[in-house]
Amino acid sequence: MTPAKILFLLCILLSAAGIFTWTQLQSPTTNPETYIAEGELLPLPSDGEYDKSLAQLVDYQSEPVSPYFHAPCPVSGKIRKDIISRFQLIGFENERNKRQWQHIIDTMNDKRDIDSFKKNIRDFILVLLKTQTEGTEHLFGAAEAGDLAAYTRVAICDEVAIAHHHIKDGIDPNIGQDYLDNPSLEISKQDRILFETLYRSCRMTISNAFRYTPCALTRVSFYPTEQDWSLILYALKIDKKRPNEIVCTYKGRN
């Protein structure tokens, strides 16, 4: 076989591999809700508040019978505080209940790797899923669950925006960067696809603007398409049915 034919065949193989990789990322064949082996249990959540006078967190049961029931796992107090802070007005003099500008500057100047951004976004998405899980009334009031969901949709886009200013050339070079002079965070092709998907999932909204503290009418909130949602869950290894991560078992006290 001549060198020219060998080179031609090599090009075909590389092109096929590239197309296959792109297809897998865009339309994962593995169902993101079932890729984790059945029976793989996480330990009981050690952080998060719920009304212990009404129920007790117990070992997971796949088909609970009264007085046992399924409800969202408790939300970490630290993560909840972080989410809510992203929604607050910016403060410059340590005012209460405001997001301090100095903290934002420190966050922007921190040296971070892409995994830290992915972890925060994953944590926020888990909270969003918890607010949408059956049995939320056992952890939240109706208004509280709605508010936390709205805060979380903003927090996800907030983290994506911060990541954009750390990533070399940004998530999309056409967006431009206006904070860090020389962003140097190198990311893989797969992570760039993920963050491009997250970015286009952040949409302008005026939803519930009248319910919150004085603020601009429009916000950017996380509302992915169905296809993008599947890709995001797959890329962040989120299984909606994974025991003790989103859904937990409780025992009622009454």
Side-chain angles (χ1 to χ4, degrees):
M1 185 177 293
T2 65
K5 287 185 178 180
I6 293 174
L7 182 60
F8 177 71
L9 289 174
L10 182 60
C11 289
I12 291 176
L13 289 172
L14 290 174
S15 298
I19 293 170
F20 176 77
T21 300
W22 177 263
T23 302
Q24 291 298 304
L25 285 169
Q26 290 295 326
S27 303
T29 55
T30 305
N31 185 335
E33 297 186 12
T34 58
Y35 75 92
I36 294 175
E38 291 185 9
E40 181 183 347
L41 289 177
L42 292 172
L44 288 178
S46 58
D47 185 20
E49 296 180 0
Y50 65 97
D51 192 340
K52 296 179 178 61
S53 67
L54 297 178
Q56 175 187 1
L57 187 64
V58 298
D59 290 335
Y60 185 82
Q61 299 178 18
S62 58
E63 297 181 3
V65 177
S66 181
Y68 299 94
F69 59 89
H70 279 166
C73 297
V75 175
S76 161
K78 180 180 179 181
I79 293 173
R80 181 197 289 256
K81 182 178 179 181
D82 187 11
I83 286 172
I84 293 174
S85 75
R86 312 278 183 128
F87 205 88
Q88 293 172 334
L89 298 175
I90 293 175
F92 296 90
E93 297 179 356
N94 295 318
E95 305 94 327
R96 284 190 65 189
N97 299 323
K98 288 193 176 182
R99 186 182 186 187
Q100 294 305 310
W101 178 243
Q102 185 59 50
H103 182 264
I104 295 173
I105 292 176
D106 293 342
T107 300
M108 292 299 296
N109 289 327
D110 278 348
K111 293 290 185 182
R112 296 180 59 184
D113 58 28
I114 198 64
D115 287 339
S116 70
F117 289 108
K118 289 166 67 176
K119 180 183 184 305
N120 279 350
I121 291 169
R122 187 181 191 279
D123 287 342
F124 295 165
I125 288 177
L126 290 177
V127 172
L128 180 61
L129 289 170
K130 288 175 185 180
T131 66
Q132 300 170 346
T133 300
E134 184 179 357
T136 54
E137 68 275 9
H138 296 290
L139 265 72
F140 318 105
E144 182 185 4
D147 287 351
L148 184 58
Y151 299 154
T152 304
R153 291 185 188 278
V154 171
I156 293 168
C157 295
D158 187 273
E159 188 71 3
V160 171
I162 295 172
H164 167 70
H165 288 282
H166 282 78
I167 294 171
K168 186 176 182 180
D169 298 325
I171 293 171
D172 181 343
N174 293 321
I175 303 170
Q177 293 168 293
D178 63 2
Y179 191 85
L180 299 180
D181 293 331
N182 297 296
S184 58
L185 182 56
E186 299 273 5
I187 62 174
S188 67
K189 180 179 179 180
Q190 290 85 350
D191 283 338
R192 186 168 292 279
I193 291 172
L194 169 62
F195 275 84
E196 286 174 352
T197 305
L198 289 165
Y199 170 76
R200 69 170 173 259
S201 298
C202 290
R203 306 170 184 274
M204 285 195 296
T205 178
I206 57 173
S207 176
N208 293 326
F210 63 90
R211 293 178 57 196
Y212 306 115
T213 331
C215 63
L217 176 63
T218 55
R219 287 188 180 276
V220 177
S221 296
F222 181 70
Y223 283 97
T225 64
E226 184 176 346
Q227 181 178 0
D228 285 346
W229 186 227
S230 295
L231 187 149
I232 290 165
L233 294 180
Y234 179 80
L236 294 175
K237 297 182 172 61
I238 293 176
D239 181 343
K240 292 182 181 180
K241 298 179 181 179
R242 189 178 188 186
N244 293 337
E245 184 163 61
I246 296 174
V247 179
C248 284
T249 301
Y250 296 83
K251 180 181 179 182
R253 293 189 182 278
N254 296 331

